[in-house]
């Protein structure tokens, strides 16, 4: 079998992997090596690795520990794009605040996200990452004591977006709303596979700390966000065509600076795993400038 080699991208998380041949099936030794690396590092980058949507979906399921006995039976959706070019693509423009996909959903937890650079003009807007596991581990004692027994209310609504955008009119605001569906999660959330604790609040969709007056909740969340998104903690992935980036959507959060419709083509083919029981509806978007 061919071996893979990995290079750390930051001290806390992220590895660039070389030597993967995108073939189905991968042998057991390779699968074990990739799973171990994924759980240790939270994000894997495969530079300039030509692969199709089927391999992308296959690898996504394998990395979260699922067996794929029949790769032909995988759910394949090759229209699931993040793009400023493709019709009906998600997030076609704007800046995205830090988040984990579906943190606000009671139904569909997304353990893994992958993006493949299908059409990438330069200079391409990067995707940004932080580690919420590292953020918990490095949380100052005083802050940790304040949140250890606390829960957060996750809720997807434009009011929270607007507040967190802090006047930046480029921020993309989805018109999707979770309405009455408020999800409560521990601030220190246990990762279902690795058992590590995650600082489970995000800029985009954490509405408040439960059972705390508004002003105190805002101040505490702001202190947590300052720690999570501190200078020097971010990893930027600068896209080139043919890149595959796979990450742990619970351990890491992602964001991006502004994308312009008229800017260079930026079409990223997306998979998530496990594939959700309820289909994800395509939300519509506007920026704060239009909202
Ligand atoms: Fe996202």
């Amino acid at each position: 079998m061919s071996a893979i080699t990995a290079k750390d991208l930051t001290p806390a998380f992220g590895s660039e992997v070389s030597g993967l041949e995108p073939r189905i099936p991968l042998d057991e030794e390779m699968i074990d090596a990739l799973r171990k690396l994924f759980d240790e590092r939270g994000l894997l980058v495969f530079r300039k690795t030509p692969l199709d949507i089927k391999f992308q979906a296959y690898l996504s399921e394998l990395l979260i520990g699922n067996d794929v006995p029949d790769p032909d039976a995988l759910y394949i959706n090759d229209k699931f794009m993040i793009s400023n070019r493709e019709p009906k693509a998600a997030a076609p423009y704007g800046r995205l605040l830090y988040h984990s996909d579906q943190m606000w959903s009671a139904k569909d937890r997304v353990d893994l996200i992958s993006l493949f650079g299908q059409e990438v003009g330069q200079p391409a807007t990067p995707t940004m990452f932080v580690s919420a596991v590292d953020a918990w581990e490095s949380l100052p004692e005083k802050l940790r004591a304040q949140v250890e027994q606390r829960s957060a209310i996750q809720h997807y609504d434009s009011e929270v977006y607007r507040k967190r955008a802090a006047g930046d009119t480029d921020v993309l605001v989805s018109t999707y709303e979770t309405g009455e569906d408020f999800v409560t999660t521990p601030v220190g959330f246990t990762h279902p596979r690795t058992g590590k604790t995650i600082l489970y609040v995000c800029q985009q969709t954490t509405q408040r700390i439960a059972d705390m007056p508004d002003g105190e909740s805002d101040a505490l969340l702001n202190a947590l966000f300052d720690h999570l998104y501190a200078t020097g903690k971010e990893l930027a992935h600068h896209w080139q065509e043919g890149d595959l980036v796979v990450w742990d959507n619970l351990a890491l959060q992602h964001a991006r600076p502004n994308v312009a419709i008229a800017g260079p083509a930026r079409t990223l083919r997306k998979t998530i795993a496990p594939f959700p029981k309820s289909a994800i509806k395509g939300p519509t978007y506007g920026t704060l400038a239009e909202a």
Side-chain angles (χ1 to χ4, degrees):
M1 95 173 202
S2 60
I4 49 165
T5 54
K7 185 182 84 182
D8 288 359
L9 293 170
T10 74
F13 70 100
S15 289
E16 183 170 329
V17 183
S18 311
L20 177 72
E21 287 174 37
R23 274 198 308 249
I24 298 177
L26 292 171
D27 65 57
E28 284 303 320
E29 217 175 312
M30 175 64 82
I31 293 169
D32 286 349
L34 287 167
R35 281 178 175 160
K36 187 162 175 279
L37 191 61
F38 184 68
D39 279 348
E40 277 171 10
R41 304 296 298 163
L43 176 143
L44 306 180
V45 173
F46 304 86
R47 285 279 189 191
K48 300 216 156 226
T49 306
L51 50 90
D52 61 13
I53 180 68
K54 188 173 168 186
F55 182 83
Q56 192 179 345
Y58 170 71
L59 182 65
S60 299
E61 292 292 338
L62 284 182
L63 287 179
I64 59 167
N66 289 342
D67 291 327
V68 186
D70 181 7
D72 290 331
L74 280 168
Y75 180 89
I76 301 293
N77 179 2
D78 63 356
K79 301 281 183 282
F80 193 9
M81 304 281 184
I82 308 297
S83 176
N84 58 356
R85 288 289 189 282
E86 295 289 317
K88 295 188 180 165
Y93 55 88
R95 174 188 159 209
L96 296 178
L97 299 173
Y98 269 109
H99 64 285
S100 291
D101 280 20
Q102 308 278 111
M103 192 188 256
W104 43 268
S105 170
K107 291 194 270 307
D108 294 316
R109 197 184 71 208
V110 174
D111 289 3
L112 173 149
I113 298 176
S114 80
L115 291 175
F116 176 76
Q118 182 165 296
E119 187 187 4
V120 180
Q122 300 297 342
T125 298
T127 302
M128 310 297 296
F129 299 92
V130 291
S131 168
V133 168
D134 179 56
W136 181 267
E137 283 167 6
S138 60
L139 201 61
E141 264 320 306
K142 200 176 153 217
L143 263 180
R144 184 188 292 236
Q146 282 179 271
V147 296
E148 221 149 20
Q149 305 303 324
R150 291 280 181 180
S151 292
I153 312 285
Q154 316 287 356
H155 189 245
Y156 196 98
D157 66 58
S158 50
E159 210 170 301
V160 175
Y161 267 76
R162 210 163 273 122
K163 186 156 77 173
R164 301 286 159 63
D168 181 348
T169 52
D170 287 336
V171 168
L172 188 66
V173 179
S174 167
T175 56
Y176 182 81
E177 304 247 352
T178 42
E180 297 306 306
D181 198 4
F182 291 83
V183 173
T184 304
T185 48
V187 174
F189 185 82
T190 304
H191 193 288
R193 261 192 341 277
T194 66
K196 291 178 183 167
T197 306
I198 306 162
L199 179 54
Y200 206 59
V201 293
C202 80
Q203 206 178 24
Q204 194 185 58
T205 58
T206 300
Q207 189 186 50
R208 54 179 301 113
I209 302 291
D211 306 317
M212 195 178 259
D214 285 356
E216 258 180 72
S217 166
D218 281 347
L220 184 49
L221 279 177
N222 285 336
L224 295 172
F225 295 152
D226 286 349
H227 177 73
L228 257 168
Y229 313 129
T231 312
K233 293 287 189 183
E234 291 177 298
L235 166 65
H237 179 74
H238 294 281
W239 287 99
Q240 295 176 53
E241 218 159 88
D243 287 351
L244 176 69
V245 182
V246 188
W247 71 94
D248 183 323
N249 179 57
L250 303 174
L252 307 188
Q253 293 182 22
H254 58 288
R256 75 172 191 214
N258 193 33
V259 166
I261 287 281
R266 187 180 186 277
T267 295
L268 309 175
R269 190 179 69 205
K270 180 171 177 174
T271 67
I272 56 176
F275 198 80
K277 287 173 226 90
S278 58
I280 291 178
K281 295 190 189 83
T284 54
Y285 298 92
T287 63
L288 284 178
E290 296 156 357

